[in-house]
Amino acid sequence: MATLYDVCKKTGLSTATVSRVINGSGLVKEATRERVLKAMKELNYYPSHAARMLAGSKTDTIGVILPVIDNGYYVRVLRGIDVVSTRANLKLLISFYHSGSDLSDILSSLSGEGRADALILSNDTPLQPEQIRKLAGSDIPIALIGQKHEDQPAMDSVLLENFQGAGDAVKHLLEKGPKSLIVITGPEDNHDSQERLRGVRQAVADAACDVELVVLHGDFYHEGGRAVFEEYVKQSGAFPEAVFAFNDAMALGVLDVLNEASVSIPGDVQVIGFDNNEIAQYIGLTTVRVPMQKIGEEAARLVAERIKNKELPAESVLMETALVARKTTGNGASFSSPKM
Amino acid sequence: MATLYDVCKKTGLSTATVSRVINGSGLVKEATRERVLKAMKELNYYPSHAARMLAGSKTDTIGVILPVIDNGYYVRVLRGIDVVSTRANLKLLISFYHSGSDLSDILSSLSGEGRADALILSNDTPLQPEQIRKLAGSDIPIALIGQKHEDQPAMDSVLLENFQGAGDAVKHLLEKGPKSLIVITGPEDNHDSQERLRGVRQAVADAACDVELVVLHGDFYHEGGRAVFEEYVKQSGAFPEAVFAFNDAMALGVLDVLNEASVSIPGDVQVIGFDNNEIAQYIGLTTVRVPMQKIGEEAARLVAERIKNKELPAESVLMETALVARKTTGNGASFSSPKM
DNA sequence: TTACTAATTGTAAGCGCTTTCATAAAACAT
DNA sequence: ATGTTTTATGAAAGCGCTTACAATTAGTAA
């Protein structure tokens, strides 16, 4: 491997000058610059990332922590992060987190060992107070996705208009004047889920009608949604007239149950999900669209900016949601189950 | 940030000894080891990754290049890579590649700048001969997924049993004795697609029946599959009796056309895809299962092993596929379109 | 006790860059 | 022509580790 010294030798210049052209820090005569560039190409020289990191104390990489969830959601978020960070010449160091793994480990190798200049923590990567304290010490910019963090240290965050989106969904459902409305939430500690529930309650209150609102606790998984809904139906002995699952996966579980019982959708029961994932689009599930890629882009933008200027005040970006009315609430052609 | 020197000062030991306990290279008295560990904890010390990289010339990270495709496929592959690399204490530096981006750039920053100890190149990241030459120079282990590379430098590869899988699909289709069979391929230069086509031809020949085989050229995308099939139907003025699309996305496109024409599936037309993606599972599309996570695991295993021992001969792993018979070929409940 | 081997620990030379400060050359003004 | 800026380059000190190799200490057999 050619080193900077080889380039110096070849050009007869000092390390300082060669370093300057590598970093494009101006202050170099154009002719010299070209001479160096030529030598670099001829030697097939690439600056050692390790050395630059050590000497320059910056890594040009941003650490991303994603939950281990195989659906398309986080790929899209990741893609958004990628778009913006590629543009900013930042590489992505990615770690997956699941409840069995140790977030502290991940955090210390990313920030403690100085592998990254900034961090993006996605939903479902629960920060413990102690970890936050450590992170604060390392003072590396952090952007949170779908999580809030009000105390010090200041962290940027990208949030969803959950309240609004859930409210829209409920309003849409109530248009047909159902007697009963079931919502299936995500995990209790999930911020998105909490906000959606607030939105639901508010919308129901605002509607000033007398729907019966039942809150079922789900887990954001297909099977979980199915199970909790099935259980409810068994207990109550009847189907509700409207169901709002806090994500599409669970809504799909609800549809399973409904289809197996040959209930007409949306004739007897309306169903709405949240996310607008691939299957929802495919089968015509009414849902609330979440701008996944944009979320990633915003998160990357936030940290990229903060890397340049750490003094910026923490920013919180709210991403818009939008109701997508489809067949399961009577829009478009009628729904017919893909599973029989 | 505490440095190794701080730990030395605190313990009164030399950098060599402290370094030894950090690296667990034995040769340190147990009491000393504990003393150092304690000091590290108290100082909240983490070894600088940059310094270790520079001094030790290893990065403990593996570079992964994935195509920009938002479906669940590559997340699963990535997940597999993650599982194995986490176990081997390797971090993942991920780059996305799409036809507009410059692979050379990605490769040089990953291998040329020495950011990674090894590389995993996924499908659809077409290596040009010149790039390969450069990579050879850097002699960093490389594993290819879904690509073959026979010449020097030796590269590991993880391949699919495309031939077998496609053959199985065709055999399954021919059981009902269709008069005509249409296959919709992927891009012409795609290795998987080429192999699947070989498998198809072989299976048709083996069957020794007189199906008419028509090969349509697709692109692995839903819309592309739909378009090419629609065009064919228009031209020929009739529906074939069996369709084998080389991935699920295109098969879904075919189903769209069929459903819009209210053709009975599988009564009039049987359809098979390839991949076994989420939607295929959901709607009951017969398909060929691809062990995506396992593919990632194997790729990571290969490079992890080669990092330890560069002398190992290049290895080529063949991953098994398996036919999953579902409704679109008459298994399970009859198929009914999710879109009307 | 003495000589010798094994187990620990220390010394110091880098790894390949960035960057501050000093110096030299060129450009300009007087 | 001389002093003053401005511009271009160089010298050298680290950045925080790893790792030969040297030195010391402990352990053992004679």
Side-chain angles (χ1 to χ4, degrees):
Chain A
M1 284 274 96
T3 74
L4 185 131
Y5 283 102
D6 298 321
V7 180
C8 293
K9 219 169 295 169
K10 181 146 190 159
T11 56
L13 292 162
S14 71
T15 61
T17 301
V18 174
S19 176
R20 282 183 193 110
V21 357
I22 290 171
N23 293 287
S25 38
L27 276 0
V28 179
K29 205 202 287 178
E30 183 56 23
T32 311
R33 211 179 77 86
E34 277 163 15
R35 195 148 53 95
V36 173
L37 256 19
K38 181 157 158 283
M40 294 193 342
K41 177 140 287 174
E42 284 173 15
L43 291 168
N44 191 29
Y45 164 79
Y46 289 99
S48 150
H49 179 236
R52 303 186 74 185
M53 263 172 83
L54 183 56
S57 54
K58 64 191 169 74
T59 64
D60 289 336
T61 105
I62 105 179
V64 179
I65 303 180
L66 296 173
V68 171
I69 296 180
D70 284 349
N71 62 35
Y73 195 104
Y74 291 104
V75 216
R76 290 193 166 69
V77 172
L78 186 55
R79 172 67 189 133
I81 295 175
D82 172 64
V83 168
V84 172
S85 57
T86 298
R87 203 180 297 146
N89 249 302
L90 295 165
K91 295 274 170 291
L92 298 182
L93 195 52
I94 298 186
S95 295
F96 289 93
Y97 169 84
H98 60 94
S99 46
S101 53
D102 187 351
L103 232 201
S104 293
D105 272 3
I106 300 177
L107 291 175
S108 58
S109 81
L110 255 35
S111 103
E113 298 179 1
R115 285 183 198 249
D117 291 339
L119 254 37
I120 295 179
L121 302 207
S122 186
N123 321 51
D124 305 309
T125 55
L127 274 181
Q128 304 306 319
E130 193 212 351
Q131 294 162 347
I132 292 178
R133 238 181 308 112
K134 276 200 185 173
L135 285 173
S138 71
D139 106 301
I140 138 175
I142 298 179
L144 263 22
I145 294 180
Q147 303 187 61
K148 249 187 160 158
H149 176 76
E150 318 265 38
D151 318 327
Q152 287 305 312
M155 297 186 188
D156 293 315
S157 54
V158 180
L159 269 10
L160 256 186
E161 271 193 344
N162 287 298
F163 184 85
Q164 174 87 32
D168 290 346
V170 169
K171 250 173 268 165
H172 182 63
L173 247 16
L174 296 186
E175 278 168 13
K176 296 220 176 113
K179 300 264 180 306
S180 53
L181 163 62
I182 285 199
V183 305
I184 305 181
T185 71
E188 308 234 11
D189 58 358
N190 182 284
H191 178 260
D192 288 327
S193 178
Q194 290 164 0
E195 288 299 296
R196 286 170 204 177
L197 190 52
R198 279 210 312 123
V200 167
R201 294 226 147 92
Q202 182 67 244
V204 168
D206 288 351
C209 56
D210 51 355
V211 244
E212 179 200 8
L213 173 65
V214 178
V215 177
L216 264 28
H217 295 284
D219 58 4
F220 278 158
Y221 289 98
H222 184 128
E223 285 312 320
R226 182 198 164 99
V228 72
F229 183 66
E230 209 159 23
E231 176 64 22
Y232 168 82
V233 169
K234 201 198 292 177
Q235 294 289 329
S236 71
F239 291 102
E241 291 179 34
V243 181
F244 174 24
F246 281 4
N247 77 357
D248 289 341
M250 297 192 298
L252 259 21
V254 170
L255 291 181
D256 284 353
V257 176
L258 260 18
N259 289 326
E260 280 158 20
S262 299
V263 173
S264 153
I265 303 167
D268 298 331
V269 183
Q270 302 183 80
V271 179
I272 295 193
F274 208 111
D275 281 355
N276 191 36
N277 73 15
E278 219 180 337
I279 299 189
Q281 295 170 39
Y282 192 76
I283 67 171
L285 170 68
T286 292
T287 189
V288 180
R289 181 193 302 129
V290 174
M292 315 177 200
Q293 175 160 344
K294 280 251 190 312
I295 288 174
E297 290 175 4
E298 280 302 306
R301 183 183 66 73
L302 287 171
V303 294
E305 279 177 6
R306 197 168 299 280
I307 285 175
K308 290 192 194 151
N309 180 358
K310 300 212 179 190
E311 305 315 318
L312 289 169
E315 194 176 331
S316 191
V317 182
L318 247 197
M319 305 301 294
E320 279 188 0
T321 56
L323 184 75
V324 186
R326 298 205 181 96
K327 296 185 291 186
T328 56
T329 55
N331 299 72
S334 80
F335 180 80
S336 99
S337 159
K339 291 185 174 176
M340 297 260 41
Chain B
M1 285 276 93
T3 74
L4 184 128
Y5 285 102
D6 298 322
V7 180
C8 293
K9 218 169 295 166
K10 181 146 190 160
T11 57
L13 292 162
S14 71
T15 60
T17 302
V18 175
S19 176
R20 282 183 194 109
V21 356
I22 289 171
N23 293 288
S25 36
L27 276 359
V28 179
K29 205 203 287 179
E30 183 56 23
T32 312
R33 211 181 78 86
E34 276 163 15
R35 194 147 53 95
V36 172
L37 257 17
K38 180 157 160 282
M40 293 192 342
K41 177 140 287 175
E42 285 173 16
L43 291 168
N44 191 29
Y45 165 80
Y46 290 98
S48 150
H49 179 237
R52 303 187 74 185
M53 263 173 84
L54 184 56
S57 54
K58 63 192 171 71
T59 64
D60 288 335
T61 106
I62 106 179
V64 179
I65 303 181
L66 296 173
V68 171
I69 296 179
D70 283 349
N71 62 35
Y73 196 105
Y74 291 104
V75 215
R76 289 192 167 69
V77 173
L78 186 55
R79 173 67 189 133
I81 295 175
D82 173 65
V83 167
V84 173
S85 57
T86 298
R87 202 180 299 146
N89 249 302
L90 294 164
K91 295 274 171 292
L92 298 181
L93 195 52
I94 297 185
S95 293
F96 289 93
Y97 169 83
H98 59 93
S99 44
S101 52
D102 188 352
L103 232 201
S104 293
D105 272 3
I106 299 178
L107 291 176
S108 59
S109 81
L110 254 36
S111 103
E113 298 179 2
R115 285 184 197 249
D117 290 339
L119 254 37
I120 294 179
L121 303 206
S122 186
N123 318 51
D124 306 311
T125 54
L127 274 182
Q128 304 306 321
E130 193 212 351
Q131 293 163 349
I132 293 179
R133 239 181 307 114
K134 276 200 185 173
L135 285 173
S138 71
D139 106 302
I140 139 177
I142 298 180
L144 264 21
I145 294 180
Q147 304 186 62
K148 250 189 160 156
H149 175 76
E150 316 265 39
D151 318 327
Q152 287 304 313
M155 296 186 188
D156 292 315
S157 53
V158 180
L159 270 10
L160 255 187
E161 271 194 345
N162 287 297
F163 184 85
Q164 173 87 33
D168 290 346
V170 169
K171 251 173 266 165
H172 184 63
L173 248 15
L174 296 186
E175 276 168 16
K176 296 221 176 113
K179 301 266 179 306
S180 53
L181 163 62
I182 285 199
V183 306
I184 306 181
T185 72
E188 308 234 11
D189 59 356
N190 183 284
H191 178 260
D192 288 326
S193 178
Q194 291 164 0
E195 288 300 295
R196 285 171 204 176
L197 190 51
R198 277 207 317 121
V200 167
R201 293 225 147 94
Q202 182 67 243
V204 168
D206 288 351
C209 57
D210 52 354
V211 244
E212 179 201 10
L213 172 66
V214 178
V215 176
L216 264 30
H217 295 284
D219 57 4
F220 279 158
Y221 289 97
H222 185 129
E223 285 312 318
R226 182 199 163 100
V228 72
F229 183 67
E230 207 159 23
E231 175 65 21
Y232 169 81
V233 168
K234 203 198 289 176
Q235 294 289 330
S236 71
F239 291 102
E241 291 178 36
V243 181
F244 175 24
F246 281 6
N247 76 355
D248 290 340
M250 296 192 299
L252 259 22
V254 170
L255 290 182
D256 284 353
V257 176
L258 261 17
N259 289 327
E260 279 158 18
S262 299
V263 173
S264 152
I265 304 167
D268 298 329
V269 184
Q270 302 182 81
V271 179
I272 295 192
F274 208 110
D275 281 355
N276 192 36
N277 72 15
E278 219 181 337
I279 298 189
Q281 295 170 40
Y282 191 77
I283 68 172
L285 170 67
T286 292
T287 188
V288 180
R289 181 194 301 127
V290 174
M292 314 178 201
Q293 175 161 342
K294 279 252 188 313
I295 289 175
E297 289 175 6
E298 280 302 306
R301 183 184 65 74
L302 287 171
V303 295
E305 279 177 7
R306 197 168 300 280
I307 286 175
K308 290 192 194 148
N309 180 0
K310 300 214 179 189
E311 305 315 317
L312 288 170
E315 194 175 331
S316 192
V317 182
L318 248 197
M319 305 301 294
E320 280 188 1
T321 56
L323 184 74
V324 187
R326 298 205 182 96
K327 296 185 289 187
T328 56
T329 55
N331 298 73
S334 81
F335 180 79
S336 99
S337 158
K339 290 185 175 176
M340 296 260 41

